[in-house]
Amino acid sequence: MKSKLRQLYKTFFIIVLFTAGLVIAGLIFPVINFTCNANKAKDHANQLKRLWLAWFARILNIKIQLNGQITQNAALVVANHISWVDIIALGHLIPGYFVSKNDVIDWPVIGYLARQGGTVFIKRGDKQHVRNTTEKMLWLLKQNRSILAFPEGTTSDGNNVLAFHASLFQPAILAKATLQPIAIQYLGDAHQQAPFIGEDAFVSHLLRMLALPVIPIQLTVLAEISTANKKRSDLAEMSRSAICEALQPDNPHSLKKIS
């Protein structure tokens, strides 16, 4: 009964939040773009995006345990991918632009907000589309903007880290940008409920997450990796290995040690 009531009142606030998001994306962003120069417009838009994501995190009652310090410089931030909740957790802490699979465009409300918020969409298997994505990422990095990406290309159950797609690291090499790996872990009941895999639909999964009293997430910020004189395959393996190591049971910040 408590979970149903919790779900109901959180759903009300989510509807308000999504309505506010549509107003921000459809009305405020165009005004900002019209009245400010390009850099100022991006700064203001990022501030509004982070505020909106912070509201989302509060409604979900996300509690983050942050181990390590996130770089203050523009970087390619990469993390293992478990759920759409990863975006809320990282996005309200780090100003930047997400790289997302093309499917998200079709999600109700979220797809529109992501597109208006500057998300870079990638269509895997389409070489021309991948090249265009690389160019967009490179341009953002050269503009001193951070990019947040999930190199697995899909979500997992959180118990394993899938192979990283090396192509996502090419823009960082070309821009000579820093690489910042982050390991994501869901704790408590959220460890079982958070994975967004298989045939899960966004709305039904959102309702399940709203029923949880709290969503504890541990973010382990790992050592920055220089991209100088490295191949993209090397960067993919180095960042994946660092994240895998952080998720090991014998790691002091591992899931089993904390839960």
Side-chain angles (χ1 to χ4, degrees):
M1 182 65 179
K2 284 185 178 180
S3 65
K4 286 293 184 184
L5 289 174
R6 185 184 305 115
Q7 190 182 62
L8 282 173
Y9 81 76
K10 284 185 177 181
T11 298
F12 168 76
F13 286 114
I14 285 291
I15 292 171
V16 173
L17 178 72
F18 280 16
T19 302
L22 291 173
V23 171
I24 292 170
L27 296 178
I28 299 179
F29 279 179
V31 171
I32 290 174
N33 291 332
F34 181 75
T35 58
C36 301
N37 64 49
N39 281 330
K40 282 290 184 182
K42 284 185 172 64
D43 289 338
H44 292 325
N46 271 326
Q47 289 172 359
L48 285 172
K49 283 192 298 183
R50 289 180 69 188
L51 179 61
W52 189 85
L53 290 169
W55 289 341
F56 206 154
R58 188 167 183 176
I59 293 170
L60 290 172
N61 200 19
I62 290 175
K63 301 296 182 184
I64 291 179
Q65 178 177 327
L66 184 64
N67 299 316
Q69 187 171 354
I70 299 170
T71 180
Q72 297 301 304
N73 301 317
L76 173 60
V77 180
V78 296
N80 56 311
H81 199 16
I82 299 167
S83 174
W84 55 266
V85 184
D86 304 344
I87 297 170
I88 313 301
L90 291 177
H92 84 281
L93 295 177
I94 306 171
Y97 297 85
F98 279 96
V99 177
S100 175
K101 59 184 180 181
N102 220 44
D103 301 2
V104 174
I105 294 177
D106 297 325
W107 288 12
V109 183
I110 290 291
Y112 173 74
L113 295 179
R115 187 169 61 251
Q116 295 299 103
T119 296
V120 179
F121 293 102
I122 184 168
K123 187 176 182 180
R124 300 202 182 278
D126 185 329
K127 291 184 178 180
Q128 183 59 48
H129 200 278
V130 171
R131 281 194 292 270
N132 291 341
T133 299
T134 299
E135 290 175 2
K136 289 177 183 177
M137 292 173 64
L138 175 59
W139 185 82
L140 287 169
L141 289 169
K142 284 186 173 181
Q143 294 294 313
N144 209 33
R145 305 286 171 179
S146 287
I147 293 176
L148 298 88
F150 303 105
E152 290 170 285
T154 188
T155 50
S156 73
D157 62 6
N159 295 315
N160 298 289
V161 180
L162 306 176
F164 279 9
H165 292 277
S167 59
L168 282 175
F169 296 85
Q170 187 65 26
I173 294 173
L174 296 174
K176 300 178 181 178
T178 298
L179 179 61
Q180 174 78 84
I182 297 180
I184 301 176
Q185 296 172 306
Y186 288 81
L187 311 177
D189 292 340
H191 180 61
Q192 298 295 328
Q193 296 294 331
F196 184 70
I197 52 179
E199 299 301 317
D200 272 334
F202 173 72
V203 173
S204 58
H205 190 271
L206 170 62
L207 291 174
R208 291 204 302 273
M209 299 308 292
L210 291 176
L212 293 175
V214 63
I215 302 176
I217 303 175
Q218 179 173 274
L219 300 179
T220 303
V221 183
L222 304 165
E224 295 177 30
I225 299 173
S226 171
T227 59
N229 302 315
K230 293 186 179 71
K231 298 178 181 178
R232 62 188 191 180
S233 56
D234 295 333
L235 294 172
E237 184 54 38
M238 289 172 70
S239 55
R240 181 181 179 276
S241 295
I243 290 171
C244 287
E245 185 177 351
L247 299 176
Q248 290 301 310
D250 58 351
N251 187 285
H253 298 308
S254 72
L255 176 64
K256 292 186 178 178
K257 288 287 184 181
I258 291 176
S259 60

